[in-house]
Amino acid sequence: MSRLQTYYKETVVPQLLEKFQFSNVMEVPKITKVTLNMGVGEAVGDKKIMDRAVGDMTAISGQKPIVNLARKSVASFKIRDGWPVGCKVTLRREKMYEFLDRLVNIAIPRIRDFRGLNRKSFDGRGNYSMGVKEQIMFPEIDYDQIDVIRGLDITITTNAKNDEEALALLQAFNFPFKEK
């Protein structure tokens, strides 16, 4: 079991049980999956760009991503049906907790001009989404080896009933949110 998973069971669950007055331990919200998504529209001109994006995503997540293909042709974007336009990874269980541990403790403090995560990025059902402008904030990416700075989206899916419970869950995991 990873360090963050034991922290969840020993610290976060009792804390949320007390805060929300749940009658059962199974009512306590938990993180179910983390999805990483990288749109690589410039891969239309050069196929090696997609290979490098897949390599970066593999290093960040520790798992090989799925390459997303265009669903239909769009002439104004010069994209044909079936061409690669992005890649995504879904992390669950052990790898998810290890990624969240690295994200909170190592990667987020390395963001330039960081003032805290936005509290308004919840979707109303307890899921949190954040965008990252540059992949070099992760220590797995070697700064000298990258060809271009790419951003990615990180979506944290929880089974919380509302945004208030999800915010309390992520704050218990020491996510650095902006103060009101």
Side-chain angles (χ1 to χ4, degrees):
M1 214 175 349
S2 67
R3 187 176 70 89
L4 207 62
Q5 198 169 2
T6 55
Y7 176 77
Y8 170 75
K9 288 185 177 179
E10 294 172 1
T11 310
V12 175
V13 170
Q15 182 180 336
L16 293 177
L17 263 173
E18 182 184 315
K19 181 175 182 177
F20 291 105
Q21 301 295 314
F22 291 126
S23 59
N24 192 344
V25 179
M26 298 303 285
E27 288 182 282
V28 175
K30 66 180 177 184
I31 299 174
T32 54
K33 66 181 177 179
V34 173
T35 309
L36 307 173
N37 180 34
M38 186 183 289
V40 192
E42 59 267 14
V44 173
D46 187 9
K47 301 297 179 206
K48 291 180 183 174
I49 293 175
M50 182 55 75
D51 295 336
R52 291 188 183 125
V54 166
D56 287 350
M57 189 80 95
T58 304
I60 290 169
S61 65
Q63 188 170 305
K64 190 169 188 277
I66 297 172
V67 175
N68 294 336
L69 304 176
R71 288 181 291 205
K72 63 182 187 176
S73 301
V74 180
S76 59
F77 294 128
K78 298 177 182 160
I79 290 177
R80 294 269 176 253
D81 185 25
W83 284 7
V85 292
C87 54
K88 71 173 181 179
V89 166
T90 302
L91 302 172
R92 297 176 199 269
R93 298 182 194 89
E94 200 77 27
K95 286 185 179 179
M96 172 190 73
Y97 282 110
E98 288 173 7
F99 173 78
L100 285 174
D101 197 12
R102 283 181 307 178
L103 178 71
V104 172
N105 296 320
I106 299 169
I108 289 179
R110 290 177 60 164
I111 297 176
R112 286 185 287 174
D113 301 329
F114 183 68
R115 301 205 193 308
L117 296 174
N118 190 356
R119 290 172 178 261
K120 295 179 183 174
S121 295
F122 287 97
D123 67 348
R125 297 175 181 255
N127 305 317
Y128 186 76
S129 296
M130 62 182 276
V132 175
K133 290 184 179 151
E134 44 193 35
Q135 85 273 31
I136 56 174
M137 69 180 228
F138 292 97
E140 296 86 11
I141 303 295
D142 186 20
Y143 187 77
D144 299 327
Q145 299 294 324
I146 62 166
D147 54 338
V148 66
I149 292 178
R150 288 184 202 88
L152 67 143
D153 301 319
I154 301 171
T155 303
I156 300 167
T157 307
T158 68
N159 63 356
K161 296 180 193 79
N162 54 38
D163 291 346
E164 183 187 347
E165 290 179 8
L167 177 65
L169 173 66
L170 295 181
Q171 281 178 332
F173 277 121
N174 299 323
F175 272 73
F177 286 101
K178 289 180 186 172
E179 295 300 320
K180 285 186 178 180

